Amino acid sequence: MTALTAASGSAHAAILGVGAYRPRRVVPNSEVVDAIDSSDEWIQQRSGIKTRRFAEDDETVPMMSVAASKQALDAAGIAADQVDCIIVATVSHLMQTPSAASLIAHELGTTAAAFDISAACAGFCHGVSLAADMVRAGSSRHVLVVGVERLSDITSPTDRGTAFIFADGAGAVVVGPSDVPGIGPVVWGSDGEHYDYIRQNHDWRDVIASDDPQMPHLIMEGSAVFRWAAFEMAKVAQEALDRAGITADQLDVFVPHQANNRITDTMARSMKLPDTVRIARDIVDAGNTSAASVPLALERMMAEGEARSGDTALLIAFGAGLAYAAQVVTVP
Ligand code: COA
C-alpha cells in the first residue's frame, strides 16, 4: 500500500470576524395583524416581536450574504482570496441547484470551495462546527460561514402560526486558525420523529401536479415546537457548556436562536444562568430569521457593546428537522 500525505491544520480554531445584513424595510406588527386576526399586543406578549425586516426585490439571498460576508471579512482582516471554503446555511435560496454558495463565492471574487447546507434554523451552528473541524483538520485555513434567509418568500401572510414570526436577513463569520481554542466542542443532533413539526406544507411534485399551483409555505406546530425548544434545548445548551469545560457563571453572553423570547427565558431559567450573563434579544426587531438569527444576534450584541472581544459566548440553534447544534465560542 502506498502511503499518502495526510492533511494537517491548526491546533485550534476561532471566530475571527462577524458581519450582518439587515434588509431595509422595517415591518411593524400592525402590518401583519389584519391578515391573521391578531394584535400587536398578542404578538409581543407571545413572542417578544415588535418589528421584523422583509427583504425587497434586490435584497436577494446572494446579495444579503455578500454584504454580511464583506463585513465579516473586513472585521477579520482577511481578503476574500484567503478564504478556502464558503458554507452557506439556508432553506430559502429558491434555486434547487446550483448552490447559493457558489454564486456568493463568485460575487466575492473567489474560487473557494462553496456549498450550501440545509439544517433550517440550526444551520449556522452546524456550519461553525464544520468550519472549526476543517481548520483543525487542514482542509481549509479560513472558512466563511453564512446564515441567510428570505423567509418572507416561503411564509404565508395568512398563516396564523407563522406569519408574525418569520423574517429575512443574513449574518456571517470567518473561522480561522487560533493559538488557543476559540470554538468549543459541538453538541448536535436530530429528532426526525418530529419531522412534521416545522415543514414546507407541500412537496414540489404535489404543487406541480395540482390544478391550482400555489407557492409552498412553512407550517408549524407551534405549541409542540415551543415545548421541545424550551425544555430539550436547555439540556443541549448545558451539555455544550459541560463539553467546553465551563460552568454557567463563566459565561458572559448567551446567544440562542431567536425563535421566541419566552423560549429564551425558559432556557435561561432551566440553565440557572446568572444575571450577569447578557442574553441576545434581537428577535424584538428582527423576528425569527432562521439560519441568520444567531450571527445577526451576535453581531448586534457586539455592535452595541453587550458582547466584547474575548467574552465567552454560548451559541445554540434549533429548528425544523428537528435539528439542533450548540457550542461555546470566544467573541472575536
Ligand atoms: N394571533 C392571535 N391569537 C392567536 C394567534 C395569532 N397569530 N395564533 C394563535 N392564537 C390563539 C389561538 O387561537 C388560541 O386561542 P384560544 O386559547 O382562544 O383557543 C391561543 O392563541 C393559543 O394558541 P396556541 O397555538 O396554543 O398559541 P401559543 O401560546 O402556543 O403561541 C406561538 C403560539 C407560535 C407564539 C408559540 O407556539 C411559539 O412561539 N412556538 C414556537 C415557535 C418557534 O419558536 N418556532 C421556530 C422554531 S425554529
Side-chain angles (χ1 to χ4, degrees), residues 36-39 42 46-47 121 160-161 164-166 198 220 222-223 225-226 257 259-260 262-263 288 318-320:
I36 53 172
D37 185 20
S38 190
S39 67
W42 191 94
R46 297 294 178 118
S47 70
C121 304
R160 269 190 126 196
F164 65 96
I165 293 179
F166 293 129
I198 311 170
M220 175 168 68
S223 303
V225 173
F226 189 98
H257 169 45
N260 183 317
R262 289 189 302 140
I263 293 176
N288 176 341
F318 44 83

Side-chain angles (χ1 to χ4, degrees), residues 29-30 32-44 46 160 164:
N29 288 339
S30 56
V32 300
V33 291
D34 288 350
I36 53 172
D37 185 20
S38 190
S39 67
D40 177 38
E41 190 191 5
W42 191 94
I43 294 172
Q44 285 199 46
R46 297 294 178 118
R160 269 190 126 196
F164 65 96

Side-chain angles (χ1 to χ4, degrees), residues 8-40:
S8 69
S10 164
H12 306 296
I15 294 177
L16 307 181
V18 181
Y21 181 84
R22 296 172 192 274
R24 294 181 294 268
R25 193 161 94 79
V26 175
V27 178
N29 288 339
S30 56
E31 266 194 57
V32 300
V33 291
D34 288 350
I36 53 172
D37 185 20
S38 190
S39 67
D40 177 38

Side-chain angles (χ1 to χ4, degrees), residues 50-316:
K50 291 184 181 171
T51 64
R52 77 283 289 140
R53 307 278 183 124
F54 283 170
E56 294 180 321
D57 288 350
D58 63 312
E59 295 172 306
T60 61
V61 163
M63 179 273 187
M64 293 192 290
S65 302
V66 168
S69 298
K70 284 184 173 166
Q71 197 184 326
L73 288 165
D74 279 353
I78 298 293
D81 63 6
Q82 290 175 271
V83 172
D84 302 301
C85 183
I86 300 178
I87 301 174
V88 176
T90 186
V91 295
S92 49
H93 173 58
L94 297 182
M95 281 289 281
Q96 199 82 43
T97 194
S99 69
S102 53
L103 186 55
I104 292 161
H106 178 65
E107 290 187 7
L108 286 171
T110 162
T111 54
F115 58 91
D116 296 355
I117 56 174
S118 174
C121 304
F124 173 78
C125 289
H126 280 66
V128 168
S129 171
L130 292 178
D133 289 352
M134 291 161 77
V135 169
R136 290 186 297 118
S139 58
S140 294
R141 188 164 167 82
H142 294 108
V143 182
L144 180 65
V145 182
V146 181
V148 56
E149 303 290 2
R150 266 179 69 109
L151 294 179
S152 58
D153 285 339
I154 53 169
T155 301
S156 163
T158 59
D159 183 301
R160 269 190 126 196
T162 55
F164 65 96
I165 293 179
F166 293 129
D168 305 338
V173 297
V174 176
V175 174
S178 165
D179 293 336
V180 292
I183 298 175
V186 70
V187 178
W188 55 359
S190 63
D191 186 359
E193 186 187 348
H194 301 307
Y195 184 82
D196 276 0
Y197 277 8
I198 311 170
R199 64 180 172 89
Q200 182 172 311
N201 62 338
H202 296 300
D203 184 307
W204 279 110
R205 288 165 301 188
D206 298 335
V207 172
I208 291 156
S210 151
D211 294 338
D212 179 24
Q214 304 284 333
M215 179 75 180
H217 62 262
L218 295 171
I219 52 173
M220 175 168 68
E221 296 193 23
S223 303
V225 173
F226 189 98
R227 282 192 301 277
W228 170 77
F231 299 106
E232 296 305 314
M233 290 304 100
K235 296 179 206 161
V236 171
Q238 181 60 51
E239 204 182 327
L241 292 183
D242 296 343
R243 294 211 55 207
I246 67 163
T247 51
D249 58 327
Q250 290 173 287
L251 206 57
D252 301 300
V253 181
F254 179 41
V255 191
H257 169 45
Q258 301 292 288
N260 183 317
N261 255 345
R262 289 189 302 140
I263 293 176
T264 300
D265 291 339
T266 311
M267 287 174 71
R269 265 198 310 275
S270 311
M271 295 173 67
K272 300 191 172 51
L273 289 188
D275 291 345
T276 48
V277 177
R278 299 176 292 280
I279 300 179
R281 300 287 181 187
D282 195 40
I283 190 166
V284 174
D285 49 33
N288 176 341
T289 57
S290 189
S293 95
V294 167
L296 278 174
L298 177 61
E299 187 273 344
R300 184 194 187 131
M301 291 185 90
M302 290 168 68
E304 294 182 352
E306 279 192 291
R308 294 178 281 270
S309 181
D311 276 357
T312 302
L314 170 62
L315 314 183
I316 180 166

